[in-house]
Amino acid sequence: MQHDEAAERVRQVIRDAGVSQREFARRMVIDPSKLSRSLGGTRRFTTAELARVADIAGVDAGWLLGTHPEQGAAPLQQTGVPLPAARPRRVRNAAAAGRPPADSGRPLQIVRQTVRLIAEHGFHSVRVSDIAEACGTSTAAIHYHFPGRDELLEAAARWCMDEDTARRAAGTADTHHAGDELRLLIELQTPYTPQQRRQWSVWLDLWAEAARSTAVGELHVEYYRQWRATVAEVIGRGVAQEVFRPVDPEAAALSLTALIDGLATQVLATTPGEPGTSAEDMHGALLRYVDATLTAG
């Protein structure tokens, strides 16, 4: 698919969502300037980014990715997004055209299975053939959407970031007291459940990879900038509400998020039920830290 076609389809999705580009960038967990450049044609959308757009907007990923435009018509028209006409291309075969194999319209399934396998085995132990088997598809289909391991890791990172952001937003949506909201954020970041432990396991792999990969490192910086900004905003609101002491919100957020990461690493290194740092230990330590350093007397 031509880049200008992809950009136009994303523009249509954003218009249909009725939000600003900046807000849509936040939902994608991408820097607004990158989204703007991609929409303006000076930067190419990655496959992972297009998959995230499809997931967020609830549109057909194949239509957005240009892999099967006809199949995208029904769900897209239901959301009010008009379908542009597909451009015919004269090619000798599917490979020359860049068309995917018949079973390849599954980028979101690929990402989710990649996340699961990374959590269970570690990124460098997961082969493309393992992901293909988990998806019930071929390695050719995986490589069509994600040509290399870097693209798969980036997609997995963005999916985890978006899931984490959405979970926090849903969990604190009805909370207005800053002290209660900060305690809810702490609870949501504590790996109590198997799913939360899997999420944290993926984060540990991403941290290690961020030290070696520029692309993943940029995602890491981007995510933590947003996460710390969220915590700093809550702390700042708590200072204004006089439930927290008059502290520097950004410095306090840096300390608190670093403590969350360190304690979560200890929890992940401990088998549930065995001696070590439990999720309950982590949660209790964080609440005591908030009471000792932030809560107004």
Side-chain angles (χ1 to χ4, degrees), residues 277-294:
T277 304
S278 67
E280 290 77 10
D281 293 334
M282 172 182 171
H283 193 192
L286 290 169
L287 293 182
R288 288 191 295 274
Y289 177 82
V290 168
D291 286 340
T293 64
L294 294 176

Side-chain angles (χ1 to χ4, degrees), residues 89 215 267:
R89 291 185 294 176
V267 173

Side-chain angles (χ1 to χ4, degrees), residues 9 60-73 100 102 104-107:
R9 292 181 183 193
D60 181 78
W63 170 78
L64 194 59
L65 293 163
T67 59
H68 45 81
E70 294 81 5
Q71 295 178 27
S104 67
R106 310 172 174 180

Side-chain angles (χ1 to χ4, degrees), residues 237-257:
R237 194 154 22 92
V239 172
Q241 293 174 356
E242 298 185 346
V243 298
F244 292 148
R245 301 173 188 176
V247 298
D248 178 343
E250 292 186 3
L254 177 62
S255 298
L256 180 56
T257 55

Side-chain angles (χ1 to χ4, degrees), residues 59-269:
V59 300
D60 181 78
W63 170 78
L64 194 59
L65 293 163
T67 59
H68 45 81
E70 294 81 5
Q71 295 178 27
L76 285 164
Q77 287 174 349
Q78 289 171 6
T79 62
V81 182
L83 278 175
R87 295 182 182 178
R89 291 185 294 176
R90 297 176 60 187
V91 294
R92 290 175 296 176
N93 54 51
R99 292 199 302 267
D103 60 353
S104 67
R106 310 172 174 180
L108 300 180
Q109 181 194 22
I110 292 169
V111 171
R112 293 187 177 110
Q113 290 297 336
T114 299
V115 169
R116 180 181 67 81
L117 291 170
I118 290 173
E120 293 177 0
H121 306 292
F123 178 73
H124 289 288
S125 296
V126 176
R127 301 170 301 176
V128 173
S129 58
D130 298 326
I131 299 168
E133 181 178 357
C135 294
T137 189
S138 65
T139 56
I142 305 296
H143 283 303
Y144 176 82
H145 291 299
F146 307 99
R149 293 170 66 88
D150 285 348
E151 287 83 2
L152 273 170
L153 186 60
E154 179 186 350
R158 286 200 178 279
W159 189 87
C160 287
M161 290 175 183
D162 189 68
E163 288 292 298
D164 196 45
T165 301
R167 183 167 53 87
R168 290 199 307 265
T172 60
D174 299 324
T175 306
H176 304 289
H177 185 280
D180 292 343
E181 184 169 350
L182 188 62
R183 288 171 175 81
L184 274 173
L185 286 175
I186 288 171
E187 183 175 357
L188 289 167
Q189 293 301 110
T190 303
Y192 278 111
T193 68
Q195 179 180 356
Q196 288 172 316
R197 288 182 68 92
R198 284 194 295 271
Q199 188 98 347
W200 271 105
S201 294
V202 174
W203 283 128
L204 294 182
D205 255 32
L206 294 177
W207 289 344
E209 194 64 22
R212 297 184 290 267
S213 167
T214 300
V216 177
E218 289 176 353
L219 286 174
H220 182 271
V221 170
E222 186 177 312
Y223 171 77
Y224 267 89
R225 178 178 55 79
Q226 295 190 28
W227 164 226
R228 288 178 187 138
T230 297
V231 176
E233 189 276 328
V234 174
I235 293 174
R237 194 154 22 92
V239 172
Q241 293 174 356
E242 298 185 346
V243 298
F244 292 148
R245 301 173 188 176
V247 298
D248 178 343
E250 292 186 3
L254 177 62
S255 298
L256 180 56
T257 55
L259 184 58
I260 290 172
D261 292 343
L263 285 168
T265 302
Q266 293 184 37
V267 173
L268 267 290

